[in-house]
Amino acid sequence: MNYISGHREPVKAEELEKIPIYRSVFIRMMAAVAISFLVVLLGSFLVLYHNVMDSLKERTDAEKLQSFTQLEYNIDAFCREVEFLTERLISETVLTEMVFVGDVDEVTVIQMKADYFRGLSGILAQYTYVDSICLYNSEGMALIMDSKRNIIQEDNGAGSVFYKEQLKDGEPSFGAVKWCGGYTNRDFFALERKEKEVPCLCVYRGVYWNAHRAWLVVNVNLEHFTDIYYAPEREKVQPEVTYILDGSGKIISHPDERALGEQKGEEYRKGTAEGAYTFEEDGRQILCYPLRLGGWTMVNEMPLAAILKDVGNIRQIFVITVTVAVILAVLFPVFWVRRLARPLLETVEALKDMEDGNLGIALAEGEKRLDEIGLLRRQFNRMSTRIEELVEENIQIEETKRETEMKMLKYQLNPHFLYNTLNTVKWMAAMKGEEDMVDCLSALGDILQPMYRDASPFWTLKEEEEYIVSYGKVMNYRYGEKTSLTVKVPKELSGAVIPKFILQPITENAFLYGMPEDGAGMEIQIFCQKEEDRLILTVSDNGKGMAWEDMETLKGDIRAGMETKHIGLSNVNQRIQLLYGKEYGLCIAGEKGKGIRVTVRLPLRGI
C-alpha cells in the first residue's frame, strides 16, 4: 500500500454536499441489498399476510378485553365514590334546609344560604374532580357553586339547558341516581366573556324534605373522568383512542374535546346482554364494551395497519422464510460489497500501522474520489497529522515540566547543610543569651527542614500553615515586627493535600512589595475555604497595592508564564496548571492604596 506524506488541508463542510447521490457508496450498497431482499421477501410475505392479520386481530382483542375489564372496575369504583358523595350531601343539614325555605325572615334566609355555600366549599376543596354542585329546590330557586363563584338563580335558572332537558319533567324514584353526559358548565350558568367551557359528567338525584322535593346535581370534570380509562402511555400507537358513548350513541367522554357530542351508529351499541364485540370500519378495528353504568358503551378504535405490525406469533414460518431470503440476498450483492469495501480495508491497514507507532502517515487519495470513501481517507490524513502534532505538544509539556523542576532545584543551596549550620549558630546564640536570635534561627530552621525531610512534592494544608507561620516569624524579625501574619485553616480542611510551598512565594511578595512607603505596619491574612470540589486559598494584605495598569501587566505576564519582579508568582501559577490543568491557578486583584488579594484555586484532594 502506498503512503504519501505532507500536510492536508481541512475538508470543508461544503465538500460533503458535492457528493452526487448516484456516487454515494452507501446509497449503492443499500440499493443493491434492498433490491435483493425485496425480490425474495415479497412473495414470502404475501403468503403470510392473511394468516398474520387474523391472528393479530384476535390477540389484540383479547388483550383489550382484559384491559377493559380492569378499566370497568376503575370506572365503577369512581362512580360509587361520586354516588357516595351525593348521599353525603343529602345528609348535610345545610343542604336539606334549602329544599324548602318557607316563610322566614330575610336575614335568616341569607344566613341559611351562607351556611349552604360554606358547607359546599369544603366539599369542593376535598373532591378536586368536582367542577360544580347545583341544588334546584322546591321553590324554584337554583343554588350553584364552583371553585370561582356562588350563584343564586330564581325560577330554577330559566336559562339552564340541563334543567330543561333532564329535570323539568323528571320523576325519579326516591334515592335513585342518574348519570348523563354531553353538558358543560355553560349549561348551568352564564360564563364570563373569556371564560373557557368545562365539559362535565352530571350525576343527579332527588332530595326530599317531608312533602317537598329538590334536585341535587354534582358535575364531575370530564377531563378527570377520562383519565380513569384513557392514558396515552397505555395506548400502543398514537392513532389508537378509547372513548365512551351514552345509551343514545352520543360521545360523552373523549380525549379530544372536539369529538364530544358526535353521534355514532346503531352498530356501536347492542347492550350488555350481548357482551363485548368487534367489527371493522374504514380500516379500523372497533371494539365495543358495554358498561353497567347508565347503558353506556366503552369503545376502542385501533388502525388495522398498527395491529399488523406485530408478527410474533408466526415465528417458525418467519425464521425459515427469512433464512432462505438472507442466503439468496447475500450471494447477489457480495461482489459489489467487496469491490466497494476495498478502500475501507486499506484505511484499516493504515490504522494498524498507526497503532504500531508509525505516526504522520497519509493515504494516497489516487483519483480524488468524491464519495464517502474519499472523504473518509481525507479525514484519516487530517487525523494522522493532528495526532503527530499532539504527540509533539505532549513532549513540549513534559519538557516544560522538567525545566520548572530544574528552576526549583537551582534555588536549593544544600538545605541540609544549612540546617545543621543554623543549629550550631542557634546553640551559640543560646549560650550567649540572645533569645531573639535563637527564636529567629529556629523559625529559619523550620523553613529549611521540609526541603530535605520529604522528597514528595505534596503535603497537607496543616503542614503548609506551619511552614508559613515560621516564614512569617523570620520576615517579622527582618522588618522589625511591623507586619501581622494571620493564617486561618478550618479544622475540616487541615488534611487537604496541596503542592508544597504554594503560599510562600505569594506571602513573600506581600512582605516585599506591599509594605507602605511611610513605614507603617501591614496585615497579611490567609484564609482557606471549600467551594464544591475546589479548595480556595486567599492571601490578602492592606499594603500599598498597585496601580491598575501595573496590575493588568502583571496578570498578563503570569498568564504567559513570563518572569516578573514579583518573585515566584508565575512559577506558582505554572506549577498548578501543569499539575491540575488550565482551570486552576492564581487570580490577582487589588487597587492602589488598598492592598492586594491573591486567590489560589486547587482541586480538593485528600479529604
Side-chain angles (χ1 to χ4, degrees), residues 364-382:
E365 296 182 11
E367 57 186 9
K368 302 289 185 180
R369 298 181 60 150
L370 300 179
D371 56 13
E372 289 88 342
I373 298 297
L375 177 59
L376 175 63
R377 294 164 74 89
R378 290 190 290 275
Q379 290 292 88
F380 172 84
N381 292 341
R382 291 180 59 209

Side-chain angles (χ1 to χ4, degrees), residues 330-348:
V330 169
L331 293 176
F332 177 78
V334 67
F335 170 76
W336 295 103
V337 172
R338 290 185 60 184
R339 183 174 182 272
L340 295 173
R342 188 179 299 113
L344 294 176
L345 297 176
E346 293 179 357
T347 305
V348 171

Side-chain angles (χ1 to χ4, degrees), residues 381-515:
N381 292 341
R382 291 180 59 209
M383 179 190 70
S384 176
T385 302
R386 181 56 181 157
I387 290 176
E388 188 176 24
E389 293 174 353
L390 290 174
V391 171
E392 293 177 357
E393 290 177 6
N394 188 58
I395 295 173
Q396 183 63 37
I397 290 174
E398 292 299 324
E399 183 65 26
T400 303
K401 287 184 178 180
R402 287 194 293 271
E403 291 178 0
T404 302
E405 293 171 357
M406 291 301 298
K407 288 180 180 178
M408 295 178 62
L409 291 174
K410 286 172 60 178
Y411 294 107
Q412 296 180 356
L413 303 175
N414 199 353
H416 190 199
F417 169 77
L418 291 177
Y419 179 75
N420 292 333
T421 303
L422 285 174
N423 273 334
T424 302
V425 176
K426 182 178 72 174
W427 288 112
M428 293 172 63
M431 294 177 62
K432 294 183 178 182
E434 298 291 340
E435 296 299 330
D436 288 344
M437 185 178 296
V438 171
D439 186 47
C440 180
L441 291 172
S442 295
L444 183 57
D446 291 339
I447 294 175
L448 294 175
Q449 189 179 28
M451 295 182 181
Y452 67 86
R453 183 181 60 189
D454 185 1
S456 172
F458 300 95
W459 62 6
T460 64
L461 188 56
K462 181 65 176 177
E463 291 173 308
E464 183 80 9
E465 176 189 12
E466 295 172 351
Y467 180 83
I468 289 298
V469 171
S470 298
Y471 176 78
K473 285 184 180 181
V474 173
M475 295 303 287
N476 268 326
Y477 277 110
R478 176 180 176 182
Y479 288 97
E481 300 290 343
K482 291 183 180 181
T483 300
S484 170
L485 175 63
T486 304
V487 184
K488 295 182 179 179
V489 177
K491 185 177 180 180
E492 63 272 13
L493 297 178
S494 61
V497 176
I498 65 173
K500 278 184 177 180
F501 316 126
I502 210 72
L503 295 177
Q504 185 273 334
I506 304 173
T507 307
E508 182 176 3
N509 272 277
F511 274 103
L512 295 179
Y513 302 106
M515 194 71 69

Side-chain angles (χ1 to χ4, degrees), residues 281-302:
E281 183 181 79
D282 298 331
R284 294 168 297 158
Q285 179 85 351
I286 310 297
L287 172 62
C288 297
Y289 188 94
L291 301 173
R292 292 185 293 271
L293 179 65
W296 295 356
T297 302
M298 185 157 49
V299 181
N300 175 264
E301 295 183 2
M302 179 184 290

Side-chain angles (χ1 to χ4, degrees), residues 37 39-48 314-329:
F37 269 99
V39 170
V40 177
L41 295 179
L42 183 59
S44 302
F45 279 109
L46 286 176
V47 175
L48 296 175
I314 55 166
R315 181 180 304 170
Q316 185 175 0
I317 299 176
F318 181 80
V319 169
I320 295 174
T321 304
V322 170
T323 302
V324 174
V326 168
I327 294 174
L328 297 177

Side-chain angles (χ1 to χ4, degrees), residues 17-42:
E17 300 176 357
K18 296 180 180 179
I19 301 176
I21 294 179
Y22 65 91
R23 290 196 178 195
S24 171
V25 172
F26 297 105
I27 292 296
R28 284 182 281 171
M29 292 176 67
M30 287 188 293
V33 174
I35 292 173
S36 302
F37 269 99
L38 286 174
V39 170
V40 177
L41 295 179
L42 183 59

